[in-house]
Every structure is written in C-alpha cells, then in structure tokens.
Amino acid sequence: MEPGLALQEFLEYIVGQLVENPAKASILHEKEGSKHVYRVRVAQSDVGIIIGRNGYTISAIRSLFKAAAQKHGVHATLRVDEVED
C-alpha cells in the first residue's frame, strides 16, 4: 500500500473513533515536495475532543502518526482545522 494512503487511513480510523460527528470529519492530504501534510478537519464541537485537555490527545495522536510515517519512510506533518457546523 502506498505510504500516503496508509497514513491517511490510519488517521481516518483514529479520528473517526474519537469524534462525536464522524460524518463531518475529513482528512486532507497534500504533498509538498518530499513532505506530506495532513489536515484533520472536524466539526467545531469536536475540536476540543481531538486536542484534549492540555493538548495531550493531539500530542498522542501526533506521536503515533510520526511513528507510522517513520515506518513508511516519509516525513509527515499533522494539522487540525475546524469546519463550520
């Protein structure tokens, strides 16, 4: 499986399990040269769930994500955006 697609599916699974509105959640993947940028877009009411208290949840997600990216041999960044409800 292509590394970019594998990382996107990984994020879709994790985000889908955490948010209250999975239908409004999406993962956008952009490739900037050799760097992969993933944007997690969730409903405004779910941003707090993804970030977590003191940022612990997003920090854990980023740690897992970076480990998965490293396993596939790619450099990847994760960002969180909100969409209008």
Side-chain angles (χ1 to χ4, degrees):
M1 178 180 280
E2 195 235 327
L5 181 61
L7 291 172
Q8 184 167 349
E9 287 181 4
F10 174 71
L11 284 175
E12 287 172 354
Y13 176 76
I14 289 178
V15 170
Q17 297 299 313
L18 290 174
V19 297
E20 293 177 6
N21 301 309
K24 292 185 179 181
S26 65
I27 310 296
L28 302 175
H29 174 224
E30 302 167 358
K31 190 169 181 186
E32 299 171 355
S34 63
K35 184 178 180 181
H36 294 262
V37 178
Y38 292 85
R39 294 183 184 277
V40 176
R41 299 186 74 194
V42 295
Q44 186 177 13
S45 59
D46 289 330
V47 172
I49 293 171
I50 292 295
I51 294 174
R53 183 170 290 173
N54 295 324
Y56 289 129
T57 304
I58 192 64
S59 178
I61 293 170
R62 281 189 173 125
S63 294
L64 289 170
F65 178 71
K66 289 217 182 254
Q70 210 170 27
K71 179 180 178 186
H72 288 286
V74 296
H75 184 273
T77 303
L78 177 63
R79 298 187 179 138
V80 179
D81 296 334
E82 75 178 53
V83 293
E84 294 293 322
D85 282 337

